[in-house]
Amino acid sequence: QKEVEQDPGPLSVPEGAIVSLNCTYSNSAFQYFMWYRQYSRKGPELLMYTYSSGNKEDGRFTAQVDKSSKYISLFIRDSQPSDSATYLCAMDNAGNMLTFGGGTRLMVKP
Amino acid sequence: DVKVTQSSRYLVKRTGEKVFLECVQDMDHENMFWYRQDPGLGLRLIYFSYDVKMKEKGDIPEGYSVSREKKERFSLILESASTNQTSMYLCASSPPLGGSYEQYFGPGTRLTVT
């Protein structure tokens, strides 16, 4: 079993929809939770970063962490075609080495 | 604008060749990383360096070695390339432990071994 599981998709939604992307993990030592966005033929870039449980909002994006369930989510409101990308969750146990999920490919259709 | 650059975007090599992938960062970061990215498997850490001349094995170091002679430069070496090393290779850098956990990635090198 992988330490971090993520549905690969693809997830196809119409423009303006609310998108929910999720990861589950097995290592209870993870404390820092990140979402990276990767456009085609580019390297990943950090989108959101949260510490421990709770919610964090940044514009149209909300990251949610539930450590008791070992489950994290990224919500995208009013999705745009420019949000079409692969979204990777990543986790850290404060050792500065990240464990990544496999990524979910999102397509937002105009 | 922070930058991580990789020497090639696309590379085609033959089985048995020695392959060098170069990565340079301009952010004065202590930590540098090499990952490979394969469909369905996500990013897997090959090697990590936290200082000049220092290195740590990641999850899949077999068949690879690294070199860090200068702070800004981190090289990945495939000693004898094999077809199962065909992949996307991503370099990243980050500040030292206790700083930001953000890793900054380069654009990747797509390596094909024939």
Side-chain angles (χ1 to χ4, degrees), chain B residues 62-81:
Chain B
E62 296 78 20
Y64 303 95
S65 62
V66 290
S67 172
R68 191 157 179 211
E69 297 297 319
K70 293 186 178 181
K71 189 177 185 181
E72 67 271 18
R73 189 178 297 269
F74 192 33
S75 303
L76 179 70
I77 303 148
L78 285 66
E79 298 291 342
S80 177

Side-chain angles (χ1 to χ4, degrees), chain B residues 8 13 28 31 38 47 52 54 56 70 89 97 106 108 114:
Chain B
S8 306
K13 295 292 182 181
D28 202 35
N31 299 322
D38 300 288
Y47 267 99
V52 174
M54 306 304 287
E56 295 280 347
K70 293 186 178 181
Y89 289 88
L97 192 64
T114 62

